[in-house]
Amino acid sequence: MVLEKLGESLRETLQKIASSLFVDEKLVNELVKDMQRALLQADVNVKLVLDLTNKIKARILKEETPGGLTKKEHLIRIVYDELTQFLGKDVRALTEAKPTIVMLVGLFGNGKTTTCAKLAKYYSKRGKRVALLSTDIWRPAALAQLQQLGKQIQIPVFGDAQLKDALAIYKKFEPELQKYELVIVDTAGRDALSQELVDELNALNGYVKAQERLLVMSGDIGQAAQKQAEMFHQSCNITGVIMTRLDGTAKGGGALTACSVTQAPVMFIGTGEKVDDLDVFDPKRFVGRLLGMGDIEALLEKAKEAFSEEKAEDISERLMKGEFSLIDLYEQMEALSTMGPIGKVMELVPGFSQVKLPKEALQVQEGKLKKWRYIMDSCTKDELNDPEMISAGRIDRIAKGSGCSPSDIRELLKQYKTGKKLVKMLKGGPKKAESMMKRLGVSLR
Ligand SMILES: Nc1nc2c(ncn2[C@@H]2O[C@H](COP(=O)(O)OP(=O)(O)OP(=O)(O)O)[C@@H](O)[C@H]2O)c(=O)[nH]1
Ligand SMILES: [Mg+2]
């Protein structure tokens, strides 16, 4: 696996935490030191290692462990969060255009031509009409190499070995290329990023205006990756990175560094010489594997609680505006019965992470929840949105419809009022909420 050693060290470090009785500053320092060592050994750039570990440390020391998570789980979650942040978070798809033009750039021998063919196969398998274009006028037989690969994967290859200007080659085939959905352009490399190469790439791209400019970098170039990525980024404004040769003993951290300095995510990794040896790079899965996926999955599941994060965010926004309906109440209750999303919502509302709310205030038994569901099913939409309008007459009607007693309905309405009170408190700010909490005490229930 890529960065096997890094993963091993990180898992060891986390294991240390797991077996410690207390998580104190000393242990956190140790964790940070271990992580630094592991990342540096994997060739990740020194400054980035410091930035990353400082961020992790600051968060660990500052953030309170959310309810439902152990301190250890919280630490792992922070490490996971920051590592995925560092690597670009989500899988990035190609920009859509007609046609989408993808230009692969990089130094000699980093795997551009091979990767062109890998990408062509990958996207054609997914239904895109793909063409390959060679604009490499430097490498002898560059066109022949691409043609041979193209034949193997049955993708048309355009190029003209007679022309000695990359842009002229592109222009010659431009009308033809418009017929494709995806055009992958192989460019020439150099030993180092020279002005000549920069001028050549700029002249070509100034006209082509490729939607994607992907830097192809070998995983084994170590710390040199940082400088290379920076230079390519400055001259070509890189939109993504493809790391090759991650099948060998490459430590890979150098190339990982690239995505951070260019702010362009690693999109694919090359894991061999064959056209199928290409993997989509999924930062979350990757980090998950580094840290031991089983743990992470279970942890994130737990942290997600019964709510999705977006939903919690959405609700917290509405709560802050003072909007609160019976449906909100029900969702809160339902989720609370499993884990405690009010806590999650509170975390998301700035300033509230410190306020202690009596969780029991909103906790109800499952049986009651079921009843409430029936009651709500018998309510009209207006009643759900504005429960204050539920008069005695309406209570009787709902009782008949739901098969519940009027007192059940009154209880639900009472709970709604309590919830609404809570929301008002939230709106008043953390200080007010706390003082009101004190005043109300357990009577909130
Ligand atoms: N093991 C392994 N070898 C790879 C990978 N990608 C490319 N290669 C090999 O690296 C060598 C160089 O690859 P090319 O695709 O020719 O590199 P290039 O960037 O086009 O090189 P120039 O055209 O000289 O600039 C070839 O022998 C490839 O087979 C990979 O992911 N793993
Ligand atoms: Mg090449």
Side-chain angles (χ1 to χ4, degrees), residues 112-113 136 139 142 145 186-187:
K112 293 178 294 302
T113 309
D136 184 353
R139 155 86 47 228
Q145 186 193 355
D186 189 18
T187 65

Side-chain angles (χ1 to χ4, degrees), residues 381-421:
K381 215 170 163 203
D382 286 345
E383 285 165 350
L384 288 176
N385 284 327
D386 180 18
E388 315 271 349
M389 73 188 283
I390 302 180
S391 56
R394 285 177 188 251
I395 289 180
D396 285 342
R397 190 207 78 229
I398 297 166
K400 279 203 190 91
S402 62
C404 298
S405 69
S407 69
D408 287 331
I409 297 164
R410 280 194 204 96
E411 194 185 354
L412 169 62
L413 290 175
K414 198 171 151 219
Q415 190 78 19
Y416 167 76
K417 279 195 183 123
T418 306
K420 200 162 178 189
K421 241 184 243 167

Side-chain angles (χ1 to χ4, degrees), residues 355-358 418 420-444:
V355 182
K356 296 259 180 295
L357 271 182
T418 306
K420 200 162 178 189
K421 241 184 243 167
L422 205 63
V423 171
K424 274 215 182 103
M425 282 192 269
L426 292 180
K427 270 189 74 187
K431 279 242 144 52
K432 189 157 179 223
E434 217 149 22
S435 74
M436 280 185 79
M437 286 307 306
K438 259 188 211 137
R439 227 159 14 102
L440 286 164
V442 211
S443 69
L444 243 181

Side-chain angles (χ1 to χ4, degrees), residues 107-114 118 136 139 145 189 244-245 247 270-273:
L107 298 183
F108 272 155
N110 272 271
K112 293 178 294 302
T113 309
T114 315
K118 288 180 179 178
D136 184 353
R139 155 86 47 228
Q145 186 193 355
T244 61
R245 290 213 197 91
D247 44 316
T271 53
E273 293 187 53

